[in-house]
C-alpha cells in the first residue's frame, strides 16, 4: 500500500524523488520521507502528512544525486514522523524504504535488541536496516541478500548505504517493483507512473529478485545469487494520464473519461455483423473455456461488486453456476476442487494481495485462471493463465470509477463470448447485445451533459448522517457500489440493499427524511421496485429515483428523480453506476472531503 522510489543519477535527486512520490501518493499518504546521499552522509527528512508538506520543508539546495523515498499507509505503528520511512540502522549508514509486511519482525527485533541494536520506530521495516548493518561487509547487495534470507513476509525495498555512494539495492517479494532505465540515471519504484516523467523504458522485477542500480548500470539476480536476464519493456500510457487535466479532482476526470475507457475496452473485440465477441487473448484457452461447467469470480471491494453483476449476467446467459467470492475469504476457506471450473479474478490494480493469493489457491485447486485487470504488466498479468485488460488508462483517484464500468463491460462481453461459444444464444440476440454495448459510451456522454439533478440530490445527502441505496437484479450490485463510493469518499454511513430485503431488517433504519436512492430503470422488476419505494415512503424517507428519461410514472412515487437515457434494463447498470459515482463525488465535494485521497485508504492494497 505504501509507495517506494529510488534514483541514482547525475542531477539533483531531491526534486526527482518528490515528483515520483507525488505520482505514487495514491498508494498511501499518511506520512512521507526521503533519504539522500550527500557526500559520505545520508540525510533523512520525514514527516507525518502528505508529500506537499514534505516538499515544503525539504532542502533542494544540495548536490545529492542518489536517494530513496517513501509515501506511507500505516500498518505497524501510527502515522508519525518517527514511523515514517526511510528507516536507518544504529549508525545512520544504511537507509531503507519498504512496502509490505515483515511478519517475523517482532522476533527479529528482540534478537537484534539483545545484540545491542537501538530501535527508534514501531515499524516492522526497521529490522531490515539493522539486519543489513549486522551483515554489511563492503557489499550492499550481499548484505541485503543476507538480511532478506532472515525475513518472512512481503516486501519491495530500496536501500542505500553511505559506503557505496552510487548504489541502490532493491528487491521484491509479493509487493510490486519496477526499474526505470534512463540516460545516465536509473530508477526504481512501486509503480510505473512514478517513473513515467523520466523514462518509458522499464523492467518488471519478479518475486525473489534483487536489483543493483548505479547511474550507468542495472543488474538483476535471484536471492540465491544467480544472474537473471531481463527484458526491457516500453511502458504504455502518457505522463498526462497522471495529471488532472483541468479537473478539480482525479475522480471527476476519471468519471468523465468513462466513454473513452469503454470505447477502448471494446475496440477490436465486438463484431456486430457476425454477432461475435472476439477475445484474441483467449484463443489458447478457447477449448478449455468451452468445457467449463462452473465459474468462480474472485475479487475485493468495487471489483467484487462487478463480480456480483457478472454472476447474475453470466448465469442468465451461460446457464452454469457462478459463485462470487471475496478474495480474502476464498483463500482461507478450503475451496472445492476446480475441475472444469474457471476462476475469474478481477482486480483493477492487478496487485491486490488477497486476490493474488486467492488466484494462486484457485490454480492449485485445478481452476483455469483468468484475470481481468487494468494494469498491463501488473503481478496478476504475470500469474494468471490468461488475462483480459480493461483499457481505461491510469486511474489515480482511490475511488475506482472508470475501471469499474470497464470491468462491467468486460464481463458483458465475456458473457456473450461464452454464450456464443456454447451456442446458447443465436446470432440475432448476440447482435442485439453487441449493438447495445456499443451504444453505452454515447449514452454515458449524454448523461454527463446534464448533472444538475445529481448535484441537487448531493446537496441533500451531504446534510444527512446516513443514506441507503436499493436496487434489484443487476442493479443490486450497483446499489452496493453506490454505497461503497459514498462511504469511501464522503464518510457518510451508507449501505446498499436488494430492495426486496428491506422489510427483513433494514427498514428499521428508515426515519423521517432518511435519504434513499432507488435504482428503478424500466424492466422486469420495475413494479416490484415501486412497491419497495412505497414501503420507505410510508416511513417518510426522502426518496430519489434513478429512472429512465421516458418514465412518466416515477415522479408520482418519489421526492426527486435523476434521469438516465432509455436503455435495456440489462445494460442499465453501466449508466446507474455513473450516476452514483457522481452523487458520491458531489456529496463529498459539498462536505469538503479529500476526494482523491480518502482517509485510511489506498489505491493499491498490497497487504492482506
Ligand atoms: C474502490 O473504490 C476501492 N478503492 C476498493 O474497494 C478497490 O476496488 C479494492 O481495493 C480492490 O482493488 P483492485 O480492484 O485493485 O483489486
Amino acid at each position: 500500500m505504501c509507495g517506494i522510489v529510488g534514483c541514482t543519477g547525475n542531477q539533483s535527486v531531491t526534486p526527482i524523488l518528490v515528483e515520483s512520490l507525488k505520482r505514487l501518493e495514491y498508494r498511501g499518504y499518511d506520512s512521507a520521507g526521503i533519504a539522500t546521499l550527500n557526500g559520505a552522509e545520508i540525510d533523512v527528512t520525514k514527516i507525518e502528512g502528505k508529500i506537499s508538506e514534505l516538499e515544503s520543508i525539504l532542502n533542494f539546495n544540495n548536490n545529492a544525486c542518489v536517494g530513496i523515498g517513501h509515501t506511507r499507509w500505516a500498518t505497524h505503528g501510527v502515522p508519525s514522523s518517527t514511523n515514517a520511512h526511510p528507516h536507518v540502522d544504529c549508525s545512520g549508514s544504511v537507509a531503507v524504504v519498504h512496502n509490505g509486511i515483515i511478519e517475523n519482525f517482532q522476533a527479529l527485533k528482540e534478537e537484534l535488541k539483545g545484540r545491542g541494536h537501538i530501535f527508534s520506530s514501531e515499524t516492522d521495516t526497521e529490522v531490515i536496516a539493522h539486519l543489513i548493518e549486522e551483515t554489511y561487509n563492503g557489499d550492499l547487495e550481499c548484505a541485503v541478500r543476507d538480511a532478506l534470507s532472515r525475513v518472512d513476509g512481503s516486501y519491495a525495498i530500496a536501500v542505500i548505504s553511505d559506503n557505496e555512494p552510487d548504489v541502490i539495492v532493491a528487491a521484491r517479494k509479493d509487493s510490486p517493483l519496477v526499474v526505470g532505465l534512463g540516460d545516465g540515471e536509473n530508477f526504481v519504484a512501486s509503480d510505473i507512473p512514478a517513473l513515467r516523467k523520466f523514462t518509458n523504458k522499464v523492467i518488471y522485477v519478479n518475486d525473489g529478485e534483487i536489483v543493483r542500480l548505479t547511474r550507468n548500470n542495472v543488474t538483476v539476480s535471484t536471492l540465491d545469487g544467480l544472474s537473471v536476464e531481463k527484458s526491457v519493456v516500453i511502458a504504455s500510457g502518457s505522463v498526462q494520464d497522471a495529471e488532472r487535466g483541468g479537473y478539480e479532482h482525479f475522480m471527476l476526470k476519471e468519471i468523465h473519461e468513462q466513454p473513452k475507457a469503454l470505447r477502448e475496452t471494446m475496440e477490436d473485440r465486438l463484431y456486430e455483423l457476425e454477432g461475435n465477441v472476439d477475445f484474441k487473448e483467449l484463443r489458447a484457452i478457447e477449448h478449455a473455456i468451452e468445457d467449463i461447467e462452473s465459474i468462480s469470480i474472485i475479487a475485493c471491494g468495487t471489483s467484487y461488486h462487478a463480480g456480483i453483476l457478472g454472476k447474475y449476467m453470466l448465469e442468465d446467459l451461460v446457464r452454469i453456476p457462478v459463485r462470487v467470492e471475496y478474495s480474502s475469504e476464498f483463500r482461507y476457506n478450503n475451496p472445492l476442487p476446480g475441475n472444469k471450473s474457471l476462476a475469474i479474478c478481477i482486480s483493477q490494480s492487478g496487485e491486490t494481495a488477497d486476490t493474488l493469493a486467492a488466484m494462486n489457491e484457485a490454480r492449485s485447486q485445478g481452476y483455469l485462471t483468468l484475470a481481468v485487470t487494468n494494469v498491463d504488466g501488473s503481478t496478476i498479468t504475470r500469474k494468471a493463465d490468461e488475462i483480459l485488460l480493461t483499457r481505461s488508462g491510469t486511474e489515480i483517484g482511490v475511488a475506482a470509477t472508470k475501471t469499474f464500468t470497464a470491468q462491467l463491460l468486460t464481463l458483458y462481453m465475456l458473457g456473450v463470448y461464452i454464450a456464443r461459444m456454447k451456442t446458447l444464444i443465436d446470432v440475432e440476440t448476440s447482435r442485439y447485445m453487441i449493438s447495445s454495448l456499443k451504444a453505452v459510451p454515447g449514452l454515458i456522454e449524454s448523461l454527463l451533459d446534464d448533472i444538475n439533478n445529481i448535484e441537487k440530490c448531493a446537496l441533500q445527502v451531504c446534510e444527512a448522517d446516513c443514506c441507503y441505496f436499493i436496487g434489484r437484479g443487476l442493479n443490486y450490485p450497483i446499489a452496493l457500489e453506490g454505497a461503497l463510493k459514498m462511504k469511501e469518499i464522503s464518510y457518510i454511513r451508507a449501505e446498499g440493499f436488494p430492495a426486496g430485503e428491506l422489510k427483513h431488517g433494514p427498514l428499521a433504519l428508515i426515519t423521517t427524511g432518511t435519504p434513499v436512492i432507488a435504482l428503478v430503470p424500466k424492466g422486469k422488476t420495475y413494479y416490484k421496485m415501486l412497491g419497495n419505494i412505497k414501503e420507505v415512503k410510508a416511513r417518510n424517507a426522502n426518496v430519489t429515483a434513478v429512472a429512465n428519461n421516458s418514465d412518466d410514472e416515477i415522479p408520482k412515487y418519489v421526492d426527486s428523480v435523476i434521469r438516465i437515457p432509455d436503455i435495456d434494463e440489462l445494460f442499465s447498470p453501466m449508466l446507474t453506476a455513473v450516476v452514483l459515482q457522481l452523487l458520491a463525488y458531489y456529496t463529498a465535494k459539498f462536505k469538503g472531503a479529500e476526494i482523491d485521497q480518502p482517509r485510511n485508504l489506498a489505491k493499491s492494497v498490497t497487504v492482506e
Side-chain angles (χ1 to χ4, degrees):
M1 322 265 289
C2 306
I4 69 166
V5 298
C7 171
T8 168
N10 47 20
Q11 53 179 321
S12 178
V13 77
T14 305
I16 295 175
L17 295 175
V18 169
E19 179 64 33
S20 304
L21 284 175
K22 282 183 180 166
R23 313 265 168 183
L24 282 190
E25 207 167 12
Y26 66 88
R27 301 179 70 88
Y29 32 81
D30 57 45
S31 48
I34 66 166
T36 54
L37 260 169
N38 224 340
E41 270 197 358
I42 293 181
D43 281 343
V44 177
T45 311
K46 45 192 199 170
I47 49 112
E48 178 188 347
K50 303 204 173 207
I51 312 294
S52 54
E53 292 162 64
L54 176 70
E55 188 175 16
S56 69
I57 59 156
L58 278 172
N59 170 19
F60 285 86
N61 294 322
N62 66 47
N63 297 323
C65 297
V66 179
I68 54 177
H70 190 268
T71 180
R72 181 169 186 246
W73 184 85
T75 58
H76 293 60
V78 295
S80 68
S81 57
T82 318
N83 288 331
H85 301 213
H87 291 288
V88 296
D89 64 329
C90 297
S91 62
S93 280
V94 169
V96 179
V97 288
H98 168 223
N99 170 31
I101 290 181
I102 305 303
E103 285 166 2
N104 59 339
F105 87 99
Q106 200 58 53
L108 290 171
K109 191 168 178 176
E110 295 310 319
E111 184 190 316
L112 287 157
K113 273 181 163 175
R115 290 201 290 272
H117 288 264
I118 310 288
F119 280 77
S120 42
S121 77
E122 302 162 84
T123 65
D124 52 334
T125 303
E126 197 181 342
V127 297
I128 302 176
H130 292 277
L131 284 170
I132 295 172
E133 177 181 18
E134 284 213 328
T135 55
Y136 187 75
N137 200 3
D139 183 341
L140 184 60
E141 183 180 341
C142 242
V144 170
R145 193 173 268 121
D146 288 347
L148 293 179
S149 71
R150 300 286 323 277
V151 306
D152 298 330
S154 58
Y155 53 78
I157 56 166
V159 188
I160 53 172
S161 158
D162 61 9
N163 280 304
E164 295 175 53
D166 183 28
V167 177
I168 296 175
V169 174
R172 152 184 188 155
K173 179 172 169 272
D174 295 334
S175 292
L177 190 68
V178 290
V179 167
L181 304 177
D183 189 9
E185 52 187 2
N186 290 309
F187 309 85
V188 64
S190 297
D191 207 348
I192 290 173
L195 314 171
R196 200 58 193 82
K197 189 158 184 189
F198 310 106
T199 181
N200 64 353
K201 290 190 208 128
V202 300
I203 292 174
Y204 292 108
V205 181
N206 287 327
D207 282 345
E209 291 179 346
I210 186 160
V211 189
R212 183 176 188 277
L213 302 97
T214 63
R215 65 178 59 103
N216 291 318
N217 197 29
V218 171
T219 57
V220 183
S221 53
T222 64
L223 283 177
D224 304 328
L226 299 173
S227 145
V228 181
E229 280 298 312
K230 302 291 286 186
S231 41
V232 177
V233 177
I234 302 300
S236 57
S238 68
V239 182
Q240 286 73 28
D241 281 352
E243 287 170 358
R244 284 203 297 270
Y247 287 92
E248 194 175 345
H249 296 99
F250 279 110
M251 183 180 177
L252 189 61
K253 174 183 176 230
E254 287 156 5
I255 289 172
H256 281 265
E257 283 173 345
Q258 287 178 105
K260 178 168 182 267
L262 296 183
R263 285 190 180 108
E264 301 267 329
T265 301
M266 61 179 70
E267 175 83 24
D268 291 341
R269 287 168 163 170
L270 296 183
Y271 295 88
E272 193 175 340
L273 203 60
E274 297 83 352
N276 279 336
V277 173
D278 186 8
F279 284 123
K280 297 172 186 66
E281 309 88 318
L282 301 190
R283 287 205 178 136
I285 58 166
E286 227 167 52
H287 295 300
I289 291 182
E290 201 174 344
D291 285 347
I292 55 163
E293 290 171 1
S294 69
I295 296 175
S296 286
I297 302 181
I298 302 167
C300 306
T302 291
S303 299
Y304 175 83
H305 296 152
I308 303 178
L309 179 134
K311 170 191 163 66
Y312 285 14
M313 186 267 305
L314 284 162
E315 283 189 341
D316 188 35
L317 279 179
V318 183
R319 308 307 295 159
I320 57 174
V322 182
R323 287 151 46 124
V324 196
E325 316 242 16
Y326 284 115
S327 311
S328 53
E329 291 296 311
F330 180 89
R331 63 183 291 195
Y332 291 118
N333 280 349
N334 196 12
L336 293 167
N339 189 27
K340 294 206 170 183
S341 293
L342 176 67
I344 304 175
C345 303
I346 310 176
S347 171
Q348 72 77 23
S349 63
E351 300 293 352
T352 299
D354 279 321
T355 304
L356 292 172
M359 192 172 80
N360 277 346
E361 182 60 32
R363 174 162 327 87
S364 69
Q365 292 299 331
Y367 287 77
L368 179 67
T369 57
L370 172 63
V372 176
T373 184
N374 195 48
V375 183
D376 198 5
S378 59
T379 305
I380 208 167
T381 63
R382 284 173 284 138
K383 298 206 165 166
D385 291 318
E386 289 300 340
I387 55 170
L388 287 179
L389 288 175
T390 53
R391 303 165 184 154
S392 307
T394 310
E395 188 176 75
I396 303 279
V398 165
T401 53
K402 59 179 178 174
T403 55
F404 175 62
T405 43
Q407 287 168 350
L408 299 183
L409 169 64
T410 304
L411 290 166
Y412 282 112
M413 295 194 293
L414 193 61
V416 178
Y417 172 83
I418 303 177
R420 283 289 286 151
M421 184 183 268
K422 286 178 174 278
T423 57
L424 293 165
I425 54 173
D426 58 25
V427 182
E428 278 316 307
T429 310
S430 174
R431 276 188 191 143
Y432 168 70
M433 294 193 69
I434 290 170
S435 77
S436 304
L437 288 173
K438 282 183 162 176
V440 168
L443 296 177
I444 294 179
E445 267 158 1
S446 67
L447 188 163
L448 289 170
D449 273 350
D450 179 12
I451 55 166
N452 256 341
N453 282 353
I454 301 177
E455 288 185 85
K456 276 188 200 150
C457 181
L459 271 173
Q460 289 178 354
V461 176
C462 79
E463 301 292 337
D465 297 330
C466 58
C467 71
Y468 302 107
F469 294 80
I470 57 173
R472 282 174 176 259
L474 293 173
N475 275 297
Y476 156 56
I478 305 305
L480 295 180
E481 174 59 7
L484 176 63
K485 284 284 93 86
M486 185 61 80
K487 66 183 108 172
E488 185 178 22
I489 59 167
S490 78
Y491 313 146
I492 290 173
R493 282 183 205 97
E495 297 301 332
F497 300 109
E501 276 296 295
L502 283 176
K503 51 193 163 297
H504 301 291
L507 208 48
L509 297 168
I510 306 295
T511 56
T512 300
T514 305
V516 173
I517 290 75
L519 305 178
V520 248
K522 282 277 178 158
K524 68 175 179 221
T525 56
Y526 177 77
Y527 288 100
K528 300 289 170 204
M529 280 299 298
L530 292 186
N532 299 132
I533 288 170
K534 280 277 186 199
E535 287 163 11
V536 289
K537 278 306 297 171
R539 275 87 191 170
N540 295 320
N542 186 307
V543 181
T544 300
V546 181
N548 293 122
N549 276 337
S550 62
D551 183 350
D552 300 331
E553 203 169 353
I554 195 72
K556 297 176 218 148
Y557 289 80
V558 297
D559 300 283
S560 54
V561 184
I562 296 170
R563 296 290 181 177
I564 58 168
D566 290 351
I567 186 170
D568 186 326
E569 182 192 26
L570 178 58
F571 306 103
S572 63
M574 284 185 281
L575 304 189
T576 52
V578 177
V579 170
L580 298 195
Q581 291 164 359
L582 285 163
L583 182 61
Y585 172 81
Y586 283 106
T587 305
K589 186 176 158 177
F590 296 146
K591 287 196 76 185
E594 286 234 31
I595 292 176
D596 286 331
Q597 295 174 347
R599 72 181 172 217
N600 304 337
L601 300 178
K603 181 80 182 159
S604 185
V605 186
T606 54
V607 294
E608 64 169 288

